Amino acid sequence: MFTVENLTIETRKGRKLIENLSFALNDGDKMAIIGEEGNGKSTLLKALINPKLVPYCVVSGKINNQNCKIGYLEQKLSSKWDNQTIVDYYLKDEPDDECDYDKYNDIFKFEKELKNMGFEFSHISENTLIKYLSGGEKVKLQLAKISSNNYDVIFLDEPTNDLDIDTLERLEDFILSTKKPIIYISHDETLLENTANRILHIEQLIKKTKPKFTLQKCTYSEYVDARNRQITHQTQIAYSERRERDKKEEILRQIKQKVENALVAAKKDPSSGRIIAKKMANVKAQERRMENEELTEIPDVEEAIKMIVDPTITLPSQKIILDVKIPKLVAGDKELAENVELFIRGPQKIAIVGKNGCGKTTLIKKLVPILRKTSGLKVGYFSQNYGEVLDYNKTALDEMQLSSKDFNAGTVLGSLKFSREEMLHKVKDLSEGQKAKLALMKLIIEKNNVLVLDEPTRNLSPLSNPVIRGVLKKYNGAIITASHDRKFIKEICDETYVLNEKGLKKSNFLENTNEDNEKK
């Protein structure tokens, strides 16, 4: 059993991320850690494995994992693996270890898992170095190693990043079928809804000065629904009690004023003055009782991020946004697809899906300069490599200020749940989720009428994603997005296109996926 007792995590700058957390993981537990970006989810996960993985924090409390063999999927595979082969990765626990050739007898399990996830087998036979794999292929590599080994506990940090929809479904099947306890972080609401049976919600209150956690044994949907109902109900009661108290205080104030006036008038009549004095004593006693009356607390929860789209952003319904034909889509010397055609008219919202490595990002990048040459279009581009659209050496405040002179940068960042300290951090030091929010907000306030989005939700918390979807639903411009986020595609996009080696074809791919899930 994996147990935690009174765990407290505090940054070396004095900010507490977790305080007095205790729990036990049992077989069959699928515990999802949720919370806004920058709240310390990945830090917690690393600290549970080994406090040495978070040298920027002080970790106290008891973590009983000494006898547990832990499988860990990192949010980003360490660059120390870059110059190693896929077989080396399987035969080693750490990059600097010697290969354990005793594991070689079981390598067929690893290869089978890779094959089931659509991994290009030539990478193994040709001894491809890990640094040449795509982001999705690296995630598949980690998942295959975890699922083909007999770990006692499994830790997954954003396992859905970069995965195609087919592999996402295989990941869901793995999480549901294994009896081993799993603790994981994910932004994918569909995955959370389908797999989690315990929720650990991490919050940062009072401008990120007070940590709070909620630990419940329930599904993700049950948790969100119950939390929203509880917050709404408690808030209604709390404000109702305060309105009632205000009325009572006003009545008491008026009575007190009359008694005080009567006392002044009764100075020449001692007998009536004593009676009025008793009335004053009674009024003050009522005041004390009212002051000591306990009211229902207004819920102390972390507020959601806020984004508002400009309703004046529009596109004529008949304007041709894009009419492109690409005979061959290539990346370097590799041909990815042929005869790629895409036509978009007016404020359409389209999604491009496909297997990892099929060329979605390559296509997205090729479309951006074509769109920017079209008159009447102001094109905003969101890259999954945030360094392409953000200046990592600027502070978050400066980066936001450059986007528009019409907004107060501090106010905008505050609406994204940035603390004052985080506003002054360099962009390179922000969490991946904070970088994503910063890049998305820049696109919104720049008043672009076409948005080209490459995996826009991949690092956003499941609590931020509904806000993002709500904004983009109301957006009156055109959207072209490459995404594996099933909920995002279903709620935002009008049409879905599948990219493969034969080209780009309109498809009901997502609808078929949903039907398959229902059959399961």
Side-chain angles (χ1 to χ4, degrees):
M1 182 187 290
F2 185 97
T3 60
V4 175
E5 297 177 32
N6 299 320
L7 179 69
T8 296
I9 303 175
E10 184 174 354
T11 69
R12 296 196 180 276
K13 292 184 177 180
R15 177 186 165 203
K16 282 188 178 178
L17 303 176
I18 292 288
E19 189 169 23
N20 296 326
L21 170 65
S22 298
F23 67 86
L25 279 181
N26 299 297
D27 285 350
D29 282 344
K30 325 292 184 186
M31 187 164 83
I33 304 176
I34 64 172
E36 292 292 348
E37 297 77 13
N39 279 4
K41 299 185 296 295
S42 292
T43 297
L44 170 60
L45 205 65
K46 291 175 184 176
L48 292 173
I49 297 169
N50 186 345
K52 291 181 180 179
L53 295 175
V54 288
Y56 50 89
C57 288
V58 177
V59 180
S60 61
K62 186 176 180 181
I63 303 171
N64 182 17
N65 63 1
Q66 298 304 310
N67 298 318
C68 292
K69 185 180 179 184
I70 297 174
Y72 173 41
L73 185 148
E74 302 175 77
Q75 188 173 128
K76 282 187 175 181
L77 187 61
S78 171
S79 59
K80 292 180 180 180
W81 290 104
D82 280 358
N83 292 311
Q84 311 223 21
T85 67
I86 292 162
V87 173
D88 288 342
Y89 176 73
Y90 177 73
L91 297 178
K92 295 181 178 184
D93 290 328
E94 297 293 337
D96 296 331
D97 292 349
E98 294 294 325
C99 288
D100 182 358
Y101 289 103
D102 290 338
K103 294 182 178 179
Y104 206 88
N105 294 328
D106 295 324
I107 199 169
F108 72 92
K109 294 180 183 177
F110 175 61
E111 293 176 346
K112 183 180 179 181
E113 291 295 334
L114 286 173
K115 184 178 180 180
N116 288 339
M117 287 187 279
F119 192 85
E120 194 171 318
F121 209 74
S122 62
H123 288 322
I124 299 176
S125 60
E126 296 172 5
N127 289 322
T128 301
L129 297 181
I130 288 175
K131 65 182 176 183
Y132 295 122
L133 301 181
S134 70
E137 288 170 330
K138 289 177 182 177
V139 177
K140 289 179 180 180
L141 193 65
Q142 294 181 79
L143 284 173
K145 185 174 180 177
I146 286 173
S147 57
S148 58
N149 278 276
N150 189 29
Y151 292 109
D152 298 312
V153 185
I154 297 170
F155 288 70
L156 308 174
D157 192 354
E158 294 288 5
T160 57
N161 278 357
D162 303 308
L163 290 183
D164 55 51
I165 292 176
D166 285 346
T167 311
L168 278 172
E169 292 175 350
R170 291 188 181 278
L171 173 61
E172 285 183 6
D173 289 340
F174 168 71
I175 293 175
L176 290 171
S177 63
T178 184
K179 294 182 180 179
K180 301 298 182 184
I182 299 178
I183 180 168
Y184 61 108
I185 301 166
S186 178
H187 67 270
D188 190 306
E189 289 170 83
T190 305
L191 180 87
L192 292 172
E193 290 169 353
N194 292 345
T195 60
N197 59 23
R198 294 185 71 183
I199 303 295
L200 174 58
H201 183 186
I202 300 173
E203 297 178 84
Q204 290 282 314
L205 311 177
I206 315 176
K207 297 183 178 179
K208 296 196 175 185
T209 61
K210 178 186 174 184
K212 176 186 176 181
F213 70 84
T214 305
L215 182 60
Q216 290 192 8
K217 194 164 188 175
C218 61
T219 67
Y220 176 75
S221 297
E222 288 170 344
Y223 175 75
V224 172
D225 290 344
R227 181 175 185 267
N228 289 338
R229 286 197 305 270
Q230 188 270 333
I231 290 172
T232 301
H233 181 64
Q234 186 176 333
T235 301
Q236 289 173 343
I237 292 174
Y239 282 111
S240 176
E241 289 177 351
R242 281 157 179 76
R243 286 193 296 270
E244 189 63 29
R245 184 189 60 183
D246 290 344
K247 290 178 183 177
K248 291 178 180 178
E249 286 180 342
E250 176 59 23
I251 292 171
L252 193 60
R253 186 194 66 78
Q254 293 175 5
I255 293 172
K256 185 177 180 180
Q257 184 64 50
K258 290 179 181 179
V259 173
E260 287 176 344
N261 293 338
L263 276 174
V264 173
K267 283 184 178 180
K268 297 179 180 179
D269 185 354
S271 61
S272 63
R274 284 192 293 271
I275 295 171
I276 296 171
K278 287 181 181 180
K279 288 184 179 180
M280 178 59 76
N282 183 48
V283 168
K284 290 182 177 180
Q286 288 185 58
E287 281 183 329
R288 288 192 295 271
R289 284 196 297 272
M290 201 171 291
E291 288 173 359
N292 295 327
E293 183 181 349
E294 290 189 5
L295 300 177
T296 301
E297 289 186 4
I298 297 172
D300 191 5
V301 295
E302 187 174 48
E303 295 179 5
I305 65 169
K306 297 176 183 177
M307 280 189 179
I308 299 175
V309 67
D310 189 339
T312 64
I313 297 172
T314 57
L315 277 172
S317 60
Q318 295 304 310
K319 181 174 178 59
I320 296 176
I321 306 302
L322 188 68
D323 186 4
V324 65
K325 297 179 180 180
I326 303 172
K328 292 185 184 298
L329 181 67
V330 297
D333 57 357
K334 184 177 181 181
E335 183 177 319
L336 302 170
E338 61 182 10
N339 300 322
V340 177
E341 299 182 10
L342 185 60
F343 179 83
I344 300 174
R345 188 195 301 272
Q348 282 186 283
K349 297 180 173 68
I350 70 113
I352 299 171
V353 300
K355 295 185 180 297
N356 290 127
C358 70
K360 297 185 296 296
T361 293
T362 301
L363 176 58
I364 284 285
K365 288 184 175 181
K366 196 171 188 68
L367 296 179
V368 172
I370 296 173
L371 288 162
R372 285 178 172 163
K373 290 178 182 177
T374 305
S375 64
L377 301 185
K378 186 177 182 184
V379 181
Y381 170 52
F382 180 98
S383 171
Q384 59 176 286
N385 177 5
Y386 306 132
E388 294 181 6
V389 292
L390 298 173
D391 188 335
Y392 275 19
N393 291 315
K394 283 189 167 59
T395 66
L397 195 65
D398 289 340
E399 181 72 0
M400 185 59 69
Q401 192 63 63
L402 287 172
S403 300
S404 175
K405 305 300 181 184
D406 299 331
F407 295 88
N408 180 286
T411 301
V412 173
L413 289 173
S415 71
L416 297 180
K417 306 309 296 174
F418 279 69
S419 68
R420 183 64 188 174
E421 179 185 355
E422 288 166 338
M423 293 180 195
L424 300 176
H425 283 177
K426 287 191 174 180
V427 173
K428 65 181 179 182
D429 296 325
L430 299 174
S431 72
E432 295 302 293
Q434 288 171 315
K435 292 172 188 172
K437 289 193 295 186
L438 188 63
L440 280 170
M441 182 59 96
K442 282 186 63 180
L443 296 186
I444 297 296
I445 66 177
E446 285 170 355
K447 299 185 179 181
N448 300 291
N449 57 12
V450 177
L451 299 181
V452 183
L453 312 174
D454 191 2
E455 296 291 353
T457 62
R458 65 192 297 267
N459 284 305
L460 294 173
S461 83
L463 302 173
S464 293
N465 272 328
V467 178
I468 302 299
R469 293 196 301 271
V471 167
L472 295 181
K473 279 180 190 176
K474 296 177 181 177
Y475 176 71
N476 294 321
I479 294 177
I480 304 169
T481 181
S483 178
H484 299 130
D485 186 331
R486 292 161 286 181
K487 192 175 283 284
F488 178 84
I489 295 171
K490 183 178 179 182
E491 293 188 15
I492 299 301
C493 299
D494 308 313
E495 295 176 345
T496 304
Y497 290 79
V498 177
L499 179 65
N500 57 34
E501 66 277 4
K502 294 181 181 179
L504 191 65
K505 305 297 180 185
K506 189 182 296 187
S507 172
N508 58 353
F509 180 82
L510 190 62
E511 288 77 4
N512 290 339
T513 300
N514 289 337
E515 289 175 7
D516 290 341
N517 285 338
E518 289 173 5
K519 291 176 183 177
K520 292 179 185 178

